[in-house]
Amino acid sequence: MSAVRNILFIMCDQLRWDYLSCTGHPHLHTPNIDALANKGVRFSRAYVQSPVCGASRMSFYTGRYVQSHGATWNAVPLKVGELTLGDYLRPLGLRTALVGKTHMRADVEGMERLGIDPNSIIGVRVSECGFDPYDRDDGLHAAGPDGRYDPQIPRYNTYLNDKGYTGDNPWHDWANAAQGEGNALASGWAMRHAHKPARVKEEDSETPYMTRRAMDFMAEADEAPWCLHLSYIKPHWPYIAPAPYNNMYGPSHVSPVVRSEAERADPHPVFREFMQQRASETFSRDEVRDEVIPVYMGLIKQIDDQLGLLFRFMDERGLLGKTLIVFTSDHGDYLGDHWMGEKDLFHEPSVKVPLIVCDPSRQADGARGTVCDELVETIDLLPTFLEALGSDPASQSHRLEGRSLVPFLHARAPAAWRSHAISEYDYSVLPVAARLGVEPRDARLFMVADKRWKYVHAVGFRPMLYDLEADPSEFHDLGADPAYEADRQRLAQELARWGLRLSQRTAWSDAQVRAMRGRSQRQGVLIGVWDESDVPNELWSEYTGKDG
Amino acid sequence: MSAVRNILFIMCDQLRWDYLSCTGHPHLHTPNIDALANKGVRFSRAYVQSPVCGASRMSFYTGRYVQSHGATWNAVPLKVGELTLGDYLRPLGLRTALVGKTHMRADVEGMERLGIDPNSIIGVRVSECGFDPYDRDDGLHAAGPDGRYDPQIPRYNTYLNDKGYTGDNPWHDWANAAQGEGNALASGWAMRHAHKPARVKEEDSETPYMTRRAMDFMAEADEAPWCLHLSYIKPHWPYIAPAPYNNMYGPSHVSPVVRSEAERADPHPVFREFMQQRASETFSRDEVRDEVIPVYMGLIKQIDDQLGLLFRFMDERGLLGKTLIVFTSDHGDYLGDHWMGEKDLFHEPSVKVPLIVCDPSRQADGARGTVCDELVETIDLLPTFLEALGSDPASQSHRLEGRSLVPFLHARAPAAWRSHAISEYDYSVLPVAARLGVEPRDARLFMVADKRWKYVHAVGFRPMLYDLEADPSEFHDLGADPAYEADRQRLAQELARWGLRLSQRTAWSDAQVRAMRGRSQRQGVLIGVWDESDVPNELWSEYTGKDG
């Protein structure tokens, strides 16, 4: 029997797969995350369903591809009818709560159309991506001439004010700004300040605050089973860290940039436009990388330290033996690789994420410390949770599009595994789409990857193609090379097959389909009958023997 | 300005496209429907989105492909979040009501999950496919050893009882049964009785009843604008008609069967199984066709007569000048063609429907009596309604997948029209799927048709292909013929393109996407900024000038 009673689902934001010591970073030591990998399974080919916060997360939380749930980018509302993590776990008796970020936008119009009061329990859950809000904080409390980016004022701001950090946006003024010259603030939004220490004390910065909130939740939950989504905001920008993490690494610890002049020679039109975005041009400068990356590393180091505290806390309370722990990220960060900043496209630094799953059950002993190199999609987590909790994910196969990873956790080979991973990106909101003259409905990219090839379908343009075996750095786009026509066709066919999948028959399970076969005949619907004797007598029971 | 204030949306059930005199039937005279065609536009290539009642209708009512709305077959619930006709027309001030059939199954589980009371106004609409129920009657009040097929008892049964037709299911015992020998009933479910007159008086049979209910509605509605869906149950089986319609046609009026031995020689495995269904084997017998088809014709004749009464009623009340009238069907009926009974597959008798649209506006004068041979999908009706009412269907392009037919109604060429029509069929509920050993998720067929070719993708099997130009009877399946590989590939690519369409970003309009471009920067999200001077000063307004 599975020992799993709780689920701790830890997500970082914008954490590259290769910025941990267990995934090979030479200077960034993350012993607590490494220890988790040693006790669990690390997945070396985990791809997000979309390399952008909102869309990726909605796939994590719904267990469905972006094309299926429709929340294709940040701020696109998740439709009111989509089921989320909480809808699946609550019936199993788990309190499903959130500390941190989801980037979910509520479908306010849909709720109003269906008469759902946003302040009812159901309304709050629908608005909060299915979680019971414990401390939601999307972590971007920006403001400008057109107002606030996120209308929600986080509890964290109140916390800071209570601690004596003044102003109406201490998130910016203390946690994400340094002391400038004179009385001026050095805003974390200007990356030249990245190395400066944030004005907040380390213990009051976002990562420790959220870690303590997670501990608060666990202490309050006591013996009742739970799923806690601990969703850190970091190492996402603004790239600024409190002391000592601002200063723990320097330019000598920065990994060499992964880029090639070949990439700029005759790039795919979409790639060209992304390379010309401000973040890409900025991160293509060495001074920027040398300033920012050490701080990015410091923010990760801080997370590792905090996880050390959290795991110790859990150990002291006997929680480690009954909690499945996941560590992952919503997407990566180019950090200047491929002449890119940010994420958005499908090179490995952007679309691949770290993924560690630690199952405390005895059945998992044979797999501890192993690395699984199968193609994994982040929609696999929800079915993994269900199976770990003793529920059958197959009963939800009409909704969930991923597959349980439990076989890998228990060192059993699954019957068959996927041969291709899919990721999607909707760039319709970006100025890139306007510059390319692409309509809002057509600004879409699809990645199909197997263990060797990565194929990108760009609606309205030629495809891109990378051979990860011959060209692991992904410098050479073979999308227009006649020699690879057969490979492109094969991968295009895989994408076509995927596009025709059944994704919306979600109100009827496969078991219901099977049970329906032949049912209407026994309810008197007698199709194609010529003579009464064509069907058994009992089917006429309601039609005959009556007074004519 | 459009004269359209009301919409009368008439649908027959299982009416073949070619069983009207205006579409060429040599013996079945339908002068009232013909007159509508003479005043409006007849569409000669109108394809349903699925050749089965429920799925087809859900596409009519949602304006979306079956793969998008997910109600892939009869009895599959329409998801609670899907918008329907009423959601689009009510905001325009139209009362949107139903007389007759929708075949919609409510998403009871989804409603419960979202706390929607099925008895609230919203709950009733969600349960009734978005219509205000005036007289819903799905028209199949069958019963057998496992109970009733449709739990709802129709008002029609009460009506019959009140008229003195006794018993607890007068729908069957009087309207769909004849007098047998002695005291026995001759049930309409046994087709050998088809020519016998139904026991009900003609005026009390289903078609006149529903026509009168439509008149009741119009009289009650008075001056307030409305959309009435008059959704006849006939000529759907049980094939039985009241006198004199039972006896109006005979075997000499039956069109020659369209079938070829070539079709049975080496058929596609899916086609083979469908040919072996009971209804197919029954309809492959000439005695069955000679018995049933004259009655099928009689039922259509009765509809035409009733529409004559209805149009006269409307004329007398001044409604014809302000009502857009649509006449169509949810799918066809093989009636023995291609060795098939029923519908389900994509031969023309099954997937093509009659479609007549009559716009009373002056702008439509130039198109009256014309025939449009462009590829039309039945999802085009909802955008047509919107445009006819003066609303812009483009504002709903994030939800509606069809295109307005108004350009054709107004004798204007549209900018560009679709080159391919799509239809789908989910046979997972049929015993065919079990016999073929196909999993519930894979029992799916997709048709892609242009004006010459019809390509059918059958998941797990080879495709089918018909050349409608060289082989208008669709006798020769070229799906395995090496000579047509290029055609198959081209059509498969069209299907792949369709499969990747954006169908679920329904909570955000294209206009919202455009408006979102660059918005976050003006809310203080400053991505990729190195120095404060990289962006305009005003973007720092909330971050600077503060006391550090």
Side-chain angles (χ1 to χ4, degrees), chain A residues 142-197:
Chain A
D146 289 354
R148 297 175 56 86
Y149 173 74
D150 183 346
Q152 192 189 26
I153 310 282
R155 183 183 182 282
Y156 179 60
N157 266 8
T158 314
Y159 167 85
L160 289 178
N161 281 162
D162 289 350
K163 284 274 180 173
Y165 301 101
T166 55
D168 62 358
N169 191 358
W171 173 85
H172 173 266
D173 297 352
W174 296 89
N176 285 282
Q179 189 64 46
E181 284 159 29
N183 273 343
L185 283 184
S187 173
W189 289 111
M191 292 191 288
R192 70 187 177 97
H193 303 304
H195 71 283
K196 295 175 184 160

Side-chain angles (χ1 to χ4, degrees), chain A residues 76 131 179 487:
Chain A
V76 181
F131 293 104
Q179 189 64 46
D487 294 298

Side-chain angles (χ1 to χ4, degrees), chain A residues 79 426 444 500 504 548, chain B residues 79 183 426 444 500 504-505:
Chain A
K79 279 182 292 182
D426 173 359
R444 292 178 298 132
L500 294 178
Q504 302 301 323
Chain B
K79 280 181 292 182
N183 273 344
D426 173 359
R444 291 178 298 131
L500 293 178
Q504 303 301 324
R505 195 177 68 194

Side-chain angles (χ1 to χ4, degrees), chain A residues 344-372:
Chain A
D344 308 327
L345 297 183
F346 302 110
H347 298 90
E348 299 283 270
S350 171
V351 74
K352 196 154 105 174
V353 287
L355 177 62
I356 296 164
V357 185
C358 178
D359 180 343
S361 312
R362 214 156 23 110
Q363 299 95 312
D365 290 349
R368 301 199 190 285
T370 61
V371 178
C372 173

Side-chain angles (χ1 to χ4, degrees), chain B residues 478-499:
Chain B
L478 309 172
D481 188 332
Y484 297 90
E485 179 59 22
D487 294 297
R488 286 193 297 269
Q489 282 205 10
R490 181 173 41 79
L491 292 155
Q493 272 169 25
E494 284 299 330
L495 182 63
R497 192 190 51 74
W498 175 84

Side-chain angles (χ1 to χ4, degrees), chain A residues 518-533:
Chain A
R519 185 189 289 180
S520 65
Q521 173 158 301
R522 292 190 52 84
Q523 293 167 332
V525 177
L526 306 178
I527 303 173
V529 171
W530 173 250
D531 188 272
E532 284 80 348
S533 64

